[in-house]
Amino acid sequence: MTDYRKTLRAALSAPGGGGEASGPERTSFAVGGTLPSTLPGLQVEGLGQVGLPLAPAQAAALMALCERAPFGRGAETLVDTSRRDTWQLDASKVELQNPGWEDVVAAALDRTRAGLGLNPAVRVEARLHKLLLYEQGGHFAPHRDSEKEDGMFGTLVVVLPTWFEGGALVVRHGRRSERFELGETSRFQTTFAAFFADCEHEVEEVISGHRLCLVYRLVYLGEGTPPSADRPASGTLAAVRDALAGWEADPEGPEKLCLLLEHRYTQAGLTGLRSLKGTDRAAAELLVAAARPAGLDLHLAMLIKKEIGYAGVDDDWEWGGRTPSMDDICRTDYTLSGFVLLAGQKLSVDCKELTIEDEEREILQDKEYLEGLEESDRRVECTGNEGTDIELWYQSAAVVFWPASKCLQVEAGSNLQAAVSSLSKLLAKVPSACIVDMLSNLASLGDTRLVGRFITEAMPGKLAGRHCKEVCAVFPALCLKLGWGPLQQPLLALAAATLGGQHGLVYMADLLYALAAAGEGDAAAAPTLLALGRAAVEHMQADKDVDRSYLGDGDVEDSDAVQERAVPLLFAALLSVPGSEALLAELVQHLISHPRYTLDKVLLPVCDEAPQLVGKQAAAATEPFRRMLQHTLAQLEARSAAEPRAPANWARPANLGCDCADCAAAAAFLQDPSQKQQTFYMAKRRRSHVEYNIKYKPEMADVELSTDTSRGTHGLVLTKTHASYQRATEQHASDRATIARLRPLLQGAGEEPSGGRSKRSRRQ
Ligand SMILES: O=C(O)CCC(=O)C(=O)O
Ligand SMILES: [Fe+2]
């Protein structure tokens, strides 16, 4: 056993028995209950023996010896009966003569130790401080006890048998409070309550009778800081945290750990921390406290131990009567179910059960403890000639926990389905490379349904809003390995989820292209590819295209880039799929009837790139591609019909869209057929104004702007050029060249198919 397990076991397990059969409820900041009915043998200086239960006459005599208990406020100590109405007697005036009383205090101390979750190894002592007497109306307002000596960490109140009503002690810690109705049994019983000094507490008004109690200081005799409500087990919290860290760092360590609870609980009764009793609660609270910084997922659960056995017909085992011997048991299973979250992250909805693979490592208690579990049910079935099946059930509530970092392993260890679900939650944060690994690993398991769920449920979350080329590239191999058919639905679900998002169309086009390349020549691939293609085309037809959905107004460049990239790839992919003509025809129709698919950015690239997979000849033999070519060629012809002509003079378009004097002067210059250059000297603000009205207008492309800084006042220099004519000439030449390149395709003179194929490498 590794050290961290030992530490955890010591810190979390209950301290040894102590003969408190029906122990009272205990918490980690306050504890209380009934004590053995031994009397203390109370002797008071000046009064002698005090009989218990206290008789009214003796109560009066005792009170006469007492002083009013003061109430501390800041550094002062004063009597203020509105805050504290109690009579007190110093310990020096009190003697407890019954030697057996020590055992009573020791019992109270044991239970205090357990209830407050103190480390059993640490010595604590109860030292008598005062005797208190409350008469009717007596009370003590909420306060905290001051440290009356070094090491004092709490208070133990022992209420002696004397009848009273009211006078409950209420102890609070944070938002929690515990109420001890010590009066209920006060006529004949001795009761106690103990709490940490840092807990606020009060004594409610005594309604009638006398409340007589001994107040003890609880003193810590160990080293270091004394325990407090916030450090329930004196150094144990730190030890638990260290142990948890050690466990998390141990690559060989178990994925989860279970602490079996001491008390018996039903599944329905296991509702949370408050449903736990005594030390169980202390242990769970300690873990919850440790969970916060450590990142621990913590649940309550029911552990079922199932022994499965078989007695053959030859064995003369009499079923139904005795418990089958261990010889009959051939398998023992441990499962956990009915999880109730205490801290950290919930198990995924699918994960209803976890299996304990190795109880010796995963359960903190030892083997004997497990063997000592009480049988909770049995199933014995005689299967006639074949013998007898035996199933014995044992159950125990448990705290199950694991470092948050191991959550996935825990779920995956027991239930792959569940792991997939919880993965989707995490996936958005995981680098793409991990997803690729994950997919490949799932694929190597050969579980197609699982891969399908991963793609359907987990991937969209990952892909939403971004395009991951690496992730895209993993699918072809997946389809080749697991078959196209089973992956069709998951891929369609992925398409539906991604198409709506940013770059969705680019992603789909890339995906389809990669898939088409892998499925080339495989008839089984066609239905999947066509279905995906249809999803993409319908998305375009529905005009939900990326540009409007995510780009701000006017940010057209980006949208073009998306189309430029996506459409040719989509086209190329579909072109290679047998039976895609109808779909392609729809795509072509869509492209040529929407002006936003421009000649240069979409139509031409489509014509150029579409034959990538099938080669130019094959492409040109496809009707939709021919139509695309024809349309594109027609547009090219129209654009290049007229030879560009050089401007006859220096007159240029001159609409600046402003009629201020400066713009008017600039316009006059622009219209002037004879003047090539002019400089306008004026203040910067005016120069900028004119500059702005020229610079961003496409029709002013033939005006160059510069600044003359050679004089005191700078000048805006406007120079007319032939830039647009030059550009038009270049465009014209390029259009003619393109026509010359594309036209032969229509006439059936494409290049070799292999030439087309070799281009594929460009995209991969
Ligand atoms: O009387 C009690 O139960 C508690 C008394 C108390 O809080 C004190 O003496 O500080
Ligand atoms: Fe107090």
Side-chain angles (χ1 to χ4, degrees):
M1 185 194 280
T2 32
D3 279 338
Y4 56 81
R5 287 200 35 166
K6 215 186 267 174
T7 314
L8 283 174
R9 196 164 71 173
L12 298 172
S13 305
E20 33 158 327
S22 55
E25 279 273 316
R26 288 163 297 183
T27 73
S28 64
F29 69 93
V31 56
T34 305
L35 290 172
S37 52
T38 311
L39 291 176
L42 180 60
Q43 184 88 16
V44 170
E45 198 183 291
L47 187 67
Q49 191 73 40
V50 177
L52 293 174
L54 194 60
Q58 230 183 0
L62 182 57
M63 209 180 304
L65 291 173
C66 290
E67 55 176 2
R68 276 211 182 268
F71 174 76
R73 193 160 55 200
E76 292 177 288
T77 307
L78 31 102
V79 171
D80 174 355
T81 50
S82 71
R83 309 302 309 271
R84 186 179 192 189
D85 187 358
T86 315
W87 299 96
Q88 71 172 29
L89 205 58
D90 195 71
S92 60
K93 310 246 170 77
V94 174
E95 214 180 311
L96 306 168
Q97 291 183 322
N98 180 2
W101 182 250
E102 269 178 28
D103 294 339
V104 177
V105 176
L109 208 50
D110 269 349
R111 288 162 62 181
T112 297
R113 216 196 295 267
L116 301 187
L118 304 181
N119 190 336
V122 167
R123 267 186 60 215
V124 290
E125 233 172 63
R127 294 182 186 161
L128 186 63
H129 176 55
K130 292 260 151 69
L131 176 134
L132 297 183
L133 180 63
Y134 297 72
E135 57 183 328
Q136 185 174 334
H139 65 275
F140 196 170
H143 67 283
R144 286 188 174 80
D145 290 348
S146 55
E147 194 183 318
K148 290 163 190 102
E149 65 179 289
D150 275 349
M152 173 175 158
F153 69 91
T155 300
L156 164 70
V157 182
V158 178
V159 177
L160 298 172
T162 291
W163 175 80
F164 68 96
E165 281 180 319
L169 174 68
V170 183
V171 186
R172 298 186 186 86
H173 179 55
R175 279 180 300 171
R176 292 160 48 204
S177 81
E178 287 291 331
R179 187 183 175 81
F180 301 100
E181 293 279 8
L182 304 172
E184 267 167 13
T185 54
S186 67
R187 189 187 287 269
F188 299 116
Q189 276 186 329
T190 306
T191 52
F192 85 102
F195 46 88
F196 287 112
D198 55 348
C199 293
E200 187 196 69
H201 54 285
E202 73 178 292
V203 179
E204 291 179 354
E205 190 174 316
V206 173
I207 294 165
S208 52
H210 287 96
R211 185 180 188 271
L212 176 66
C213 58
L214 299 168
V215 176
Y216 290 85
R217 300 187 289 262
L218 290 171
V219 182
Y220 171 78
L221 300 174
E223 280 171 13
T225 337
S228 76
D230 286 320
R231 287 186 305 278
S234 172
T236 317
L237 182 57
V240 168
R241 283 183 181 149
D242 284 351
L244 291 172
W247 169 29
E248 191 173 2
D250 177 8
E252 308 284 298
E255 279 151 8
K256 57 183 176 297
L257 285 175
C258 289
L259 174 76
L260 302 192
L261 297 180
E262 300 267 302
H263 292 258
R264 242 178 266 162
Y265 305 88
T266 60
Q267 178 69 67
L270 215 53
T271 52
L273 267 188
R274 289 196 146 268
S275 64
L276 300 185
K277 299 174 200 157
T279 43
D280 290 344
R281 185 146 155 195
E285 280 177 346
L286 192 53
L287 278 170
V288 169
R292 250 169 270 130
L296 199 67
D297 292 345
L298 199 65
H299 290 77
L300 292 176
M302 199 54 93
L303 173 93
I304 308 280
K305 171 182 166 191
K306 213 194 292 184
E307 290 182 336
I308 299 153
Y310 175 76
V313 265
D314 294 337
D315 306 346
D316 58 349
W317 186 76
E318 272 182 52
W319 55 274
R322 67 179 176 92
T323 302
S325 76
M326 284 312 280
D327 297 343
D328 304 317
I329 304 302
C330 51
R331 210 178 80 211
T332 307
D333 286 347
Y334 293 89
T335 48
L336 292 159
S337 56
F339 297 94
V340 177
L341 184 70
L342 291 183
Q345 194 185 306
K346 245 185 165 146
L347 278 167
S348 75
V349 231
D350 282 351
C351 194
K352 301 217 162 39
E353 198 172 278
L354 293 177
T355 318
I356 301 240
E357 307 289 345
D358 181 348
E359 68 276 10
E360 284 184 33
R361 278 157 39 88
E362 293 181 31
I363 297 179
L364 282 174
Q365 280 94 343
D366 54 20
K367 226 175 160 165
E368 288 81 66
Y369 188 96
L370 279 175
E371 279 165 14
L373 285 180
E374 270 177 43
E375 194 180 310
S376 62
D377 197 9
R378 60 165 53 198
R379 219 159 284 170
V380 179
E381 206 172 305
C382 180
T383 44
N385 291 339
E386 283 161 27
T388 305
D389 289 329
I390 310 148
E391 257 186 43
L392 300 178
W393 301 53
Y394 308 82
Q395 68 173 33
S396 166
V399 186
V400 191
F401 51 102
W402 51 84
S405 62
K406 295 198 186 191
C407 168
L408 275 182
Q409 280 154 275
V410 168
E411 294 196 354
S414 273
N415 182 344
L416 271 174
Q417 297 285 333
V420 168
S421 290
S422 52
L423 257 180
S424 63
K425 285 184 258 164
L426 288 177
L427 220 54
K429 302 173 205 151
V430 166
S432 307
C434 297
I435 296 180
V436 172
D437 280 354
M438 180 73 194
L439 258 182
S440 321
N441 290 341
L442 285 175
S444 64
L445 292 175
D447 187 335
T448 317
R449 275 189 47 218
L450 201 56
V451 174
R453 280 196 56 194
F454 183 84
I455 296 172
T456 312
E457 293 170 26
M459 305 274 301
K462 174 65 192 171
L463 295 175
R466 37 209 277 236
H467 172 56
C468 310
K469 193 129 187 154
E470 316 90 291
V471 175
C472 184
V474 81
F475 286 106
L478 221 55
C479 289
L480 291 177
K481 183 173 164 59
L482 300 174
W484 294 87
L487 288 179
Q488 180 169 331
Q489 280 314 318
L491 285 171
L492 276 175
L494 182 66
T498 47
L499 274 171
Q502 262 190 34
H503 303 295
L505 192 63
V506 180
Y507 183 75
M508 280 316 294
D510 264 343
L511 178 60
L512 201 63
Y513 187 88
L515 289 174
E520 217 182 337
D522 182 353
T528 302
L529 296 172
L530 282 178
L532 284 173
R534 172 148 298 285
V537 170
E538 281 175 0
H539 173 79
M540 291 169 69
Q541 287 168 332
D543 204 26
K544 276 187 273 179
D545 209 351
V546 276
D547 48 356
R548 266 167 290 277
S549 61
Y550 76 94
L551 293 171
D553 279 346
D555 200 355
V556 182
E557 292 287 43
D558 224 359
S559 131
D560 282 352
V562 167
Q563 292 179 357
E564 228 177 308
R565 190 166 148 62
V567 180
L569 272 185
L570 189 65
F571 205 107
L574 285 177
L575 205 53
S576 76
V577 181
S580 63
E581 291 221 358
L583 185 57
L584 273 175
E586 275 184 52
L587 178 56
V588 171
Q589 180 59 37
H590 177 72
L591 293 177
I592 66 184
S593 50
H594 284 76
R596 67 189 165 105
Y597 301 109
T598 60
L599 178 59
D600 292 307
K601 297 207 159 159
V602 180
L603 306 185
L604 266 175
V606 166
C607 291
D608 272 332
E609 295 182 27
Q612 278 187 76
L613 288 176
V614 293
K616 287 187 181 174
Q617 264 179 355
T622 315
E623 193 42 46
F625 182 68
R626 293 181 68 80
R627 184 154 178 239
M628 189 71 201
L629 264 181
Q630 274 158 352
H631 175 83
T632 308
L633 281 167
Q635 288 214 350
L636 281 170
E637 292 284 5
R639 188 163 75 181
S640 61
E643 192 92 31
R645 276 201 290 160
N649 53 43
W650 289 118
R652 292 290 182 271
N655 182 9
L656 271 69
C658 168
D659 48 16
C660 75
D662 293 335
C663 286
F669 157 71
L670 291 175
Q671 273 168 327
D672 187 335
S674 59
Q675 240 190 316
K676 187 184 175 197
Q677 191 179 68
Q678 189 175 335
T679 306
F680 298 86
Y681 294 96
M682 48 198 177
K684 176 153 194 227
R685 197 181 45 78
R686 290 167 57 199
R687 288 199 319 269
S688 302
H689 170 72
V690 175
E691 194 176 333
Y692 178 83
N693 281 335
I694 294 175
K695 203 168 182 171
Y696 299 106
K697 291 199 170 73
E699 69 271 22
M700 306 259 168
D702 283 359
V703 185
E704 257 176 26
L705 298 135
S706 60
T707 309
D708 173 16
T709 54
S710 62
R711 301 197 196 166
T713 309
H714 292 183
L716 173 64
V717 186
L718 301 182
T719 313
K720 296 173 189 170
T721 68
H722 285 117
S724 52
Y725 168 67
Q726 271 154 15
R727 210 166 308 133
T729 316
E730 282 160 21
Q731 180 73 66
H732 183 78
S734 144
D735 284 353
R736 297 317 301 178
T738 310
I739 292 170
R741 176 159 52 82
L742 293 179
R743 171 100 40 221
L745 284 182
L746 267 186
Q747 290 145 7
E751 65 186 69
E752 292 297 288
S754 60
R757 262 154 218 273
S758 67
K759 271 182 144 189
R760 202 192 307 161
S761 56
R762 235 178 70 194
R763 285 282 176 185
Q764 283 169 348

